[in-house]
Amino acid sequence: MSAIVALTAQNTVGVTAIHELPPEFIIAQLTAVFDDIGVDAAKTGMLFSARLIETVAGFLEHHRVPLVVDPVMVASSGAKLLEDDAVEALVRRLFPLATVVTPNVAEATALVGPGSLEDQARRLVDLGAAAAIVTGGGAGDVFFDGETALELPGRRHDVAATHGSGCTHSATLAALLARGEDLVAAAGVAAATASDAVEHGLAELGAGEGPVDVFHLKGAR
């Protein structure tokens, strides 16, 4: 959903501009997709402002589907992608609707403070999410659903091609939930997919962090 809510102008160095779409246009786009194609699962990404979060949450309250909330807050370049007053709205309005929230370590720290990945995942669930996956840890991701805490092993690659890794993870997770996959199993596949996309990323492209490459998985290049 992030692309229909706030458009970004960006390159491999970072985000250069953000355009916030009007709430009425967002509702029109969501309605067009939900009423015609149908939606089996959804994910949110960069929502930027409290007004947009309220708009999306208000719609999803009446169109309940498995929901992955990726709280995109800061670009790898350091550019802020979520306004200060939007953080409270994100937690208050979207976390209770989420099947799972998927912050990276930096985002989890901004939301609940420092600590181990498991501590952060537990605190995120305390904020209202049904489950949390904190990504980007040295040994892998950590999952917690209010009862069970699991470490999801993952390979980390010293490759300058991480642009899009978080979006790849959350999009893969949402796609698997749409297929009816178990959340824990889907989380494991999402972690492996994001890791693989980084490993085969296009580090030579552009002046900053290159983009991940998911197309090699199917030999699509």
Side-chain angles (χ1 to χ4, degrees):
M1 286 185 186
S2 57
I4 64 170
V5 174
L7 303 177
T8 60
Q10 56 186 314
N11 51 30
T12 59
V13 177
V15 174
T16 59
I18 297 170
H19 176 64
E20 180 179 342
L21 298 184
E24 60 272 15
F25 185 70
I26 294 165
I27 294 297
Q29 285 200 312
L30 289 171
T31 300
V33 175
F34 273 77
D35 287 357
D36 179 29
I37 300 170
V39 174
D40 295 314
K43 92 169 192 78
T44 63
M46 194 190 90
L47 296 175
F48 186 62
S49 71
R51 179 177 71 157
L52 296 185
I53 291 169
E54 293 283 355
T55 298
V56 171
F59 184 92
L60 292 177
E61 282 176 335
H62 300 286
H63 300 79
R64 298 302 295 268
V65 294
L67 177 65
V68 178
V69 172
D70 185 6
V72 179
M73 301 175 71
V74 181
S76 56
S77 64
K80 288 181 61 177
L81 302 179
L82 191 66
E83 293 181 332
D84 291 338
D85 66 346
V87 177
E88 185 274 336
L90 179 77
V91 172
R92 176 175 52 84
R93 296 290 278 124
L94 277 179
F95 273 33
L97 300 176
T99 303
V100 60
V101 297
T102 62
N104 60 32
V105 175
E107 292 159 347
T109 300
L111 288 165
V112 299
S116 70
L117 268 62
E118 181 177 333
D119 287 340
Q120 291 180 323
R122 289 178 178 274
R123 282 182 243 154
L124 288 162
V125 170
D126 287 342
L127 289 179
I133 301 170
V134 182
T135 68
D141 303 340
V142 170
F143 168 91
F144 182 65
D145 64 358
E147 295 182 359
T148 303
L150 296 171
E151 185 175 294
L152 305 171
R155 295 175 298 133
R156 301 300 169 190
H157 308 288
D158 187 18
V159 179
T162 60
H163 193 68
S165 57
C167 295
T168 297
H169 176 274
S170 57
T172 301
L173 188 55
L176 292 170
L177 292 178
R179 286 170 41 179
E181 299 284 346
D182 171 78
L183 178 56
V184 174
V189 174
T193 301
S195 173
D196 188 79
V198 170
E199 181 181 9
H200 295 87
L202 307 178
E204 72 283 0
L205 185 64
E209 284 283 328
V212 300
D213 183 6
V214 297
F215 294 110
H216 84 93
L217 293 172
K218 296 291 186 181
R221 262 200 270 167

